[in-house]
Amino acid sequence: RQVEVGFKSTVNQALAIDGSVFSIRKAAEFVEPATLRYVQDGDQTHQGAELIVRGVVSPALRVVGGAQYLD
């Protein structure tokens, strides 16, 4: 199950910004050490935020950069 809220914004012709916050919940999957069996037991929850910036530095150069925080 995933829930995400985000935005996309074009500031001007040379700069655009995208961002989102999200929460992902899924089954925990692992190899049980005692039996060496692959099992699903419990849940994992991942929450985070993401930011991406795109810009035009010159007619010959465009740059894209991003960062993500994941807990």
Side-chain angles (χ1 to χ4, degrees):
R1 180 176 174 207
Q2 179 174 342
V3 177
E4 182 173 358
V5 175
F7 69 91
K8 291 181 181 245
S9 175
T10 302
V11 178
N12 55 41
Q13 291 182 344
L15 180 64
I17 301 171
D18 303 348
S20 66
V21 293
F22 57 88
S23 177
I24 302 169
R25 184 176 175 196
K26 65 179 216 166
E29 302 169 333
F30 56 93
V31 175
E32 193 173 67
T35 62
L36 298 178
R37 292 180 61 191
Y38 181 77
V39 296
Q40 289 184 340
D41 187 23
D43 291 325
Q44 290 180 337
T45 301
H46 305 282
Q47 297 176 332
E50 183 177 46
L51 181 67
I52 299 171
V53 178
R54 297 181 311 278
V56 177
V57 178
S58 72
L61 181 62
R62 295 175 185 234
V63 294
V64 176
Q68 182 181 68
Y69 170 76
L70 184 61
D71 181 22

